[in-house]
Amino acid sequence: MKVSLVDVSGTYSVGPMAGGSGEPLEGYRMMGAIIEAARGPFFFKLTGPEETVARWEDSFASYIDGARPE
């Protein structure tokens, strides 16, 4: 399966429509993956403070690597 990955860091802001306050949060990171399977695309995202995402980076990568087309 084709997998597209993204890893970005910076200021994160969640607006009121998504349940956030709109306050900018500095020092955040997002890791994302799109897996293109026969049944369609599957989207995965890990977002949080840089330290937290770094702690879970290996687990996220293992989860994505373990995806099967079944």
Side-chain angles (χ1 to χ4, degrees):
M1 296 180 294
K2 181 179 178 186
V3 178
S4 299
L5 301 171
V6 65
D7 188 341
V8 295
S9 297
T11 303
Y12 182 64
S13 182
V14 179
M17 295 287 288
S21 67
E23 293 291 322
L25 303 169
E26 294 183 21
Y28 266 58
R29 180 177 172 195
M30 183 195 77
M31 295 178 68
I34 302 171
I35 299 176
E36 296 180 34
R39 296 185 306 182
F42 290 83
F43 301 86
F44 303 88
K45 183 170 78 168
L46 172 63
T47 305
E50 289 179 354
E51 294 172 0
T52 303
V53 173
R55 177 179 173 199
W56 294 101
E57 180 175 1
D58 291 341
S59 294
F60 183 81
S62 292
Y63 184 77
I64 299 303
D65 288 342
R68 300 289 176 254
E70 300 168 10

